[in-house]
């Protein structure tokens, strides 16, 4: 009522009031969550509370009721990611209207993209263009699924052509640049050899050698 609705100021002040209520009753084992289904409201509320309390309390981040696997992933990545890049947040929850396993995958990938987690594979892949000579969409998805159980942090590039592929993905640990019925294998930006036949299988062999 004081702020005329659910605003960042209202959420931050409400969270602060509840924290003090707990502390007044000698309860101090507190983690604070200030979730909203609106990304901008959620981000601003967390920032305001963090500033009010000078980072004294651990914060649990999340965009609540974010939506489907696609929409919810985008909203959660924007909201949670923005705060983590600010150095705000201690635990997270990616909320999706999907299989809970997808929530975990999304959270791990988000943390990996921010450099907070240092495990698992990271796919670097190019958008399709006129130079693309292979089905990079299917290939990148297949490689990501096939290598999902790898524990080491490895950047795998899946590029659509041999012209710019290795150069554009020079930061990858290993990758392939597709050609017609073949692919150029490159490691850390250096061209190694052409792969034919079971391209994914040969790529897996090379990864195991690393």
């Amino acid at each position: 009522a004081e702020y005329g609705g659910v605003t960042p100021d209202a959420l931050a002040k409400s969270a602060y009031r509840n924290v003090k209520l707990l502390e007044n009753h000698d309860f101090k084992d507190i983690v604070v969550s200030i979730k909203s289904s609106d990304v901008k409201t959620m981000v601003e509320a967390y920032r305001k509370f963090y500033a009010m309390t000078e980072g004294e309390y651990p914060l649990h981040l999340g965009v609540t009721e974010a939506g489907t696997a696609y929409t919810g992933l985008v909203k959660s990545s924007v909201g949670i990611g923005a705060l983590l890049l600010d150095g705000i947040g201690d635990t997270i929850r990616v909320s999706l209207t999907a299989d809970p396993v997808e929530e975990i995958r999304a959270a791990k990938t988000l943390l990996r993209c921010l450099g907070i987690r240092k495990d698992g594979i990271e796919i670097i892949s190019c958008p399709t263009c006129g130079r693309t000579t292979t089905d990079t969409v299917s290939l990148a998805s297949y490689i990501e699924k096939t290598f999902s159980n790898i524990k080491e942090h490895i950047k795998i590039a899946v590029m659509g052509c041999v012209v710019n592929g290795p150069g554009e993905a020079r930061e990858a640990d290993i990758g392939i640049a597709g050609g017609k019925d073949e692919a150029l294998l490159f490691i850390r930006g250096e061209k190694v050899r052409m792969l034919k036949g079971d391209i994914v299988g040969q790529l897996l062999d090379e990864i195991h050698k690393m």
Side-chain angles (χ1 to χ4, degrees):
E2 181 180 345
Y3 291 94
V6 180
T7 68
D9 286 307
L11 288 170
K13 188 171 182 179
S14 175
Y16 185 75
R17 183 182 296 129
N18 278 278
V19 164
K20 291 305 173 185
L21 177 63
L22 291 172
E23 290 183 334
N24 288 339
H25 287 80
D26 256 352
F27 190 89
K28 303 184 187 301
D29 188 12
I30 301 167
V31 177
V32 180
S33 179
I34 318 173
K35 294 182 179 181
S36 170
S37 58
D38 180 78
V39 176
K40 188 174 181 181
T41 299
M42 169 264 193
V43 170
E44 291 182 2
Y46 274 106
R47 285 174 174 165
K48 287 178 180 295
F49 181 84
Y50 186 83
M52 287 168 55
T53 60
E54 298 181 337
E56 180 180 355
Y57 303 97
L59 297 176
H60 174 67
L61 309 182
V63 179
T64 189
E65 299 163 354
T68 60
Y70 176 78
T71 303
L73 177 58
V74 174
K75 291 173 69 174
S76 294
S77 297
V78 172
I80 297 172
L83 290 166
L84 290 177
L85 286 173
D86 283 347
I88 298 173
D90 299 274
T91 61
I92 69 171
R93 164 74 190 279
V94 175
S95 299
L96 303 176
T97 306
D99 188 328
V101 172
E102 294 304 311
E103 296 183 338
I104 298 170
R105 286 186 61 206
K108 288 182 176 181
T109 302
L110 174 57
L111 294 175
R112 193 175 295 124
C113 290
L114 293 171
I116 296 172
R117 285 184 68 100
K118 298 291 186 181
D119 63 345
I121 68 164
E122 179 180 347
I123 296 292
I124 298 173
S125 56
C126 63
T128 58
C129 73
R131 292 190 305 270
T132 302
T133 55
T134 188
D135 184 2
T136 53
V137 177
S138 298
L139 187 57
S141 297
Y142 181 73
I143 288 175
E144 183 175 52
K145 182 178 180 180
T146 301
F147 300 147
S148 62
N149 292 325
I150 291 177
K151 302 301 181 184
E152 296 81 9
H153 181 53
I154 300 175
K155 288 186 179 181
I156 304 175
V158 182
M159 311 306 288
C161 73
V162 297
V163 178
N164 292 335
E168 292 176 352
R170 63 173 54 92
E171 294 182 8
D173 296 304
I174 188 171
I176 53 176
K180 185 173 177 58
D181 300 322
E182 60 185 8
L184 172 66
L185 171 70
F186 56 93
I187 298 176
R188 298 183 180 88
E190 297 296 326
K191 300 176 183 179
V192 178
R193 69 175 189 277
M194 297 301 296
L195 303 179
K196 297 183 179 182
D198 184 7
I199 294 172
V200 175
Q202 294 175 72
L203 179 61
L204 180 58
D205 290 339
E206 292 294 335
I207 289 174
H208 286 317
K209 294 176 185 178
M210 299 182 72

